Amino acid sequence: MKLTNEQLERYSRHIILEQVGGKGQKKILDSKVLIIGTGGLGSPATMYLAAAGVGTIGLVDYDIVDLSNLQRQIIHQTSDLNKPKIESGKETINAINPDVTVKTYNELVNSKNIADIIKDADYDFIIDGTDNFPAKFLINDACVLLKKPFSHAGIIRFQGQTMTYVPDKSPCYRCVFSEMPPKDAVPTCRQAGVLGVMGGVIGTLQATEALKYILGVGELLTGFLLTYDALSMNFRKIKIKRNSKCAICGENPKITELVDYEQPACSFRK
Amino acid sequence: MIIIVNGENLDIEKSLNINELLIVAKAEQPEYVTVQKNGEFIQRDDFDKIFVEEGDEIEFLYFMGGGNYEVDK
């Protein structure tokens, strides 16, 4: 399929790049990215990928737009309050770029549905924009078992971190963090706060990794955990190795099928 | 002696094991931190047995989730 005149103009700043060109832009238009969580991280990631012309974007979220989301979840607007996030997200994508086909999944990912969602459009790359550890471990394990590349990220207060997993090539999330922390052990943004722009910085890095993976250019954050501290403005790229004892991608994996993870009991209630 | 913790020099008086270092270096949530010494993961069971020496590069890696997650949902 040839690029239309309108596409040549819309994507001209991509096409002029040596590493992209018309060929690369076609790769982007043919690509499929699944974004799990349409919140602080998923908002900017989705919007940049939509603008870039990713052909199919899948959005997974079960929540509705809440007033407290709008400080950072820029895909949703004041007029979207109480709307399902996937609906609001889809409207924003359509408004940015009609080239994009949007698939929506109004669900919380769990061990029963995650493989079906990933296989639904045979997504090329997955972005973890979730806010909780059961989902983060589940996404890791599903991507390792299904051999799908994904970008992990987390944000809190003035800090963020991200890493990219490519099957058989890099350490997975579980190589670094073997066991889930108890429920109230690690504060959430709800408890601890988060500067709204943190999702913008880190979510945009996730979108960058997705585009680099699709284009096959540059060096991914595979084998690295990138940490960002906004107060000191320090980015650190910490080298990480595959963990031979990893429960899912190590030499003797204990995890061979997906299960729902429950965090150990907690004392925190709202 | 000088060791490097998360990219910054730390002057410690004597060799410490990882558990002691977590306290001295004021690690957040020491119960859940992942520790790398010179690029190798240290198993939690070995935190008492592994000591840091001059010039060692230590990384504390922290869990980071985020967002709105409500435990009752």
Side-chain angles (χ1 to χ4, degrees):
Chain A
M1 198 188 71
K2 280 189 78 174
L3 296 173
T4 64
N5 285 341
E6 195 187 312
Q7 286 175 325
L8 286 171
E9 189 172 344
R10 179 185 281 270
Y11 306 116
S12 57
R13 303 301 190 276
H14 270 170
I15 293 166
I16 205 167
L17 289 168
E18 189 190 328
Q19 294 88 339
V20 184
K23 213 173 152 188
Q25 186 59 48
K26 274 190 224 157
K27 281 189 194 169
I28 296 172
L29 287 162
D30 286 338
S31 70
K32 293 169 280 188
V33 178
L34 181 69
I35 296 145
I36 306 179
T38 314
L41 295 161
S43 287
T46 304
M47 291 166 81
Y48 271 111
L49 293 176
V54 167
T56 303
I57 292 180
L59 297 180
V60 191
D61 210 310
Y62 63 99
D63 223 343
I64 59 165
V65 179
D66 182 84
L67 189 56
S68 67
N69 300 152
L70 300 181
Q71 159 257 19
R72 65 195 179 285
Q73 302 182 14
I74 57 171
I75 202 168
H76 315 296
Q77 288 157 23
T78 308
S79 56
D80 297 319
L81 285 173
N82 299 317
K83 229 184 244 179
K85 284 188 175 176
I86 51 161
E87 284 307 316
S88 161
K90 184 180 178 173
E91 286 168 15
T92 304
I93 296 172
N94 290 340
I96 292 172
N97 189 348
D99 278 346
V100 182
T101 301
V102 187
K103 297 186 88 102
T104 56
Y105 309 89
N106 196 6
E107 302 171 67
L108 183 65
V109 286
N110 60 48
S111 67
K112 309 281 186 299
N113 66 10
I114 190 166
D116 290 338
I117 293 171
I118 292 170
K119 287 179 192 163
D120 182 45
D122 192 21
Y123 289 101
D124 302 306
F125 194 92
I126 290 123
I127 289 184
D128 170 7
T130 64
D131 54 9
N132 66 90
F133 295 105
K136 290 191 181 301
F137 277 85
L138 181 71
I139 291 166
N140 179 73
D141 294 355
C143 288
V144 172
L145 293 177
L146 295 170
K147 293 191 178 285
K148 288 287 181 185
F150 81 100
S151 166
H152 156 82
I155 49 171
I156 189 97
R157 299 190 186 101
F158 294 86
Q159 292 174 311
Q161 65 185 25
T162 179
M163 64 180 273
T164 301
Y165 169 77
V166 174
D168 303 323
K169 286 196 178 153
S170 63
C172 77
Y173 181 61
R174 219 180 248 285
C175 286
V176 185
F177 300 106
S178 52
E179 293 288 335
M180 199 165 341
K183 256 177 186 167
D184 58 352
V186 177
T188 67
C189 294
R190 197 170 174 280
Q191 294 157 279
V194 63
L195 195 70
V197 296
M198 298 310 298
V201 174
I202 304 294
T204 304
L205 291 175
Q206 292 185 282
T208 312
E209 289 288 279
L211 290 171
K212 280 161 57 190
Y213 177 82
I214 291 160
L215 292 165
V217 300
E219 286 162 42
L220 296 168
L221 281 173
T222 46
F224 293 96
L225 181 72
L226 182 81
T227 65
Y228 171 49
D229 182 326
L231 291 178
S232 60
M233 267 302 173
N234 273 332
F235 280 91
R236 295 191 63 233
K237 215 172 139 183
I238 302 162
K239 207 171 166 75
I240 47 172
K241 278 188 184 169
R242 282 184 78 167
N243 189 342
S244 60
K245 291 181 179 135
C246 177
I248 188 147
C249 79
E251 284 158 13
N252 294 301
K254 287 186 210 87
I255 301 167
T256 52
E257 60 182 50
L258 296 175
V259 290
D260 286 314
Y261 304 110
E262 290 219 9
Q263 286 183 279
C266 94
S267 54
F268 172 76
R269 288 286 181 275
K270 71 173 172 172
Chain B
M1 72 175 132
I2 305 284
I3 59 166
I4 301 154
V5 178
N6 285 20
E8 301 207 351
N9 285 358
L10 180 71
D11 196 352
I12 53 174
E13 281 176 20
K14 60 178 177 74
S15 183
L16 303 171
N17 69 32
I18 301 294
N19 274 332
E20 291 165 338
L21 179 66
L22 286 170
I23 296 164
V24 170
K26 299 192 179 77
E28 292 169 44
Q29 301 164 321
E31 311 91 302
Y32 309 111
V33 69
T34 292
V35 179
Q36 269 197 344
K37 181 187 157 193
N38 301 328
E40 301 289 340
F41 290 111
I42 308 287
Q43 300 295 313
R44 186 156 289 274
D45 291 347
D46 295 336
F47 279 12
D48 271 334
K49 291 173 239 163
I50 305 269
F51 285 76
V52 291
E53 303 296 340
E54 175 83 33
D56 277 347
E57 292 186 26
I58 306 293
E59 295 288 349
F60 296 153
L61 308 177
Y62 295 106
F63 276 108
M64 222 171 270
N68 256 357
Y69 188 55
E70 291 176 35
V71 292
D72 289 340
K73 243 174 198 170

